[in-house]
Amino acid sequence: MDAFVIHGGNRLRGRQRIHGAKNAALPQMAAALLTDEPVVLKDVSDLADVRNMGRLLTALGCQVSIEPEGPNWSVNLHVTDRSPVEAHYDVMRTMRASFCVLGPLLASRGRARVSMPGGCNIGDRPVDLHLRGLHALGAQIKLEGGYIIAEADRLRGGRIFLGGPFGTTVLGTANVMCAATRANGVTVIESAACEPEVTDLADLLNKMGARIEGAGSPRITIEGVDRLHGAEHTIIPDRIEAATYIMAAAITNGDVVLDNCPIDALGAVLDRLAEIGVEVESVDGQSGHNAADQMRQTVRIASNRRLNPVQVVTQPHPGFPTDLQAQIMALLCLADGNSVITEKIFPDRFLHVAELLRMGAQLVRNGPTVLVAGIRHLSGAPVMASDLRASAGLVLAGLAAQGTTIVDRVYHLDRGYEKMETVLQQLGADIERVDADAL
Ligand code: EPZ
């Protein structure tokens, strides 16, 4: 298994382009099941999750090719066999987003047998809201041997409330929205997820002939159509990757320019960073003020040596994203005072806490809240986290720590960050991928 060896202390300097968003690409790949015509997705990151989704779609009768196009990747998807309806556990267990094939399969093939999904080890991850939404569209649903079996001759539009105890559901909104595009009549989703990845999925579906309004707000209206056609779509840049590298620059007191940075999707993050003392300013490129321009900005990150402590509460978009909680915790470990971080989406998503403690961090967890007492230095140590974003937080800590940090099991990072070690090397970090067994 691969590990990263990081010799901390280098200031990051240089320029990087942000890749296409993983969490936008995955449900959009699944949406290709809704049509028999080709769907082409551009600016997709070359990630383990993308390749696994490709494997799953191949098994579901879709021809998949992932090809380089300039510095980016293009994914071509074309359904040629509509008979398979079964999504097996071997792929489904690798990532949660695979569950997004359920809605498209049901809408286009009338039946789906889909394994309950796996994914990061970040606490209980039920799918009740997905199923409630599809049931409201007229699907018959049962659970048998770890598989969801869903059937409907023709889905029918309905009113659906998708709020749960921890807010709304991102992939649940994607699943129900996809299914409703081909239902008979109008569907209204209340308490829909407002994440930019949902809006980007709606943009693709509308290019395919769907009639969706309101995506990006808590109420989405979908007028069902008989068929969808092929389309070409460029994926939005990855807000989580962008913010991770912004924080990597900040934690090393660096001077970094990022191209293709979706600042329109990062309001809450930039607000917290500004209070910490990290300035993220647009420098050139697309200088317009409309939302589309603000999704592809060139920004420069400059930070004061002194980091102020802050309070952070994770919330559904447009609040502070749970997918950046570990990274900002690493940053706040070096703040000048006490910070408080509260996790409201996945209250047990704290696998990084025990590992940061090994690096000398001063953290006290109480349920979904962690008190972070700022210290002057972290010290390098062997660490490991069984979760993608927790691992990213540990890499950030390692970049700033005194001495050597070994982050084990980086296959978690490979699920969500394209060649993270190469990006960081190009920015001047002393980081290397090694075979952990050879250490
Ligand atoms: C998406 O997961 C993301 N994954 C996650 O990113 C992200 O952390 C999460 O949204 C929240 O922003 C992808 O987009 C592939 P949810 P998702 O359904 O959709 C509860 C990463 O690191 N819930 O919005 O699966 C749930 O337990 C990944 O890239 C129910 O109760 O998350 C949680 O508390 C990790 N019932 C809350 O809702 C349901 O049926 C939000 O989960 C579904 C969810």
Side-chain angles (χ1 to χ4, degrees), residues 22-24 26-27 49 96-97 120 122-131 164-172 193 195 197 239-240 315-317 321-323 344-347 349 387-389 415-416:
K22 163 181 91 83
N23 290 346
L26 297 173
D49 276 12
R96 170 99 173 162
C120 275
I122 57 179
D124 294 342
R125 296 185 75 184
V127 290
D128 57 313
L129 297 170
H130 299 238
L131 302 184
F166 299 101
T168 186
T169 164
V170 178
L171 293 177
E195 269 67 4
E197 293 77 17
R239 63 196 167 104
I240 306 301
Q315 286 172 322
H317 192 76
T322 173
D323 290 347
K344 290 232 172 158
I345 310 290
F346 297 111
R349 192 178 198 175
D387 158 27
L388 161 59
R389 309 301 173 183
R415 291 188 47 208

Side-chain angles (χ1 to χ4, degrees), residues 4 244-245 392 395 413 417-425:
F4 284 168
T244 300
Y245 291 135
V395 169
L413 282 163
Y417 293 91
E418 185 173 326
K419 298 190 183 70
M420 181 184 246
E421 77 280 21
T422 310
V423 170
L424 292 172
Q425 277 161 5

Side-chain angles (χ1 to χ4, degrees), residues 205-226:
L205 291 168
N206 282 339
K207 285 179 187 170
M208 293 167 68
R211 295 191 189 139
I212 302 172
E213 283 180 9
S217 79
R219 175 184 292 174
I220 302 178
T221 306
I222 305 135
E223 191 186 331
V225 296
D226 286 338

Side-chain angles (χ1 to χ4, degrees), residues 248-261:
I251 204 168
T252 62
N253 193 31
D255 184 358
V256 169
V257 173
L258 295 176
D259 294 309
N260 205 33
C261 182

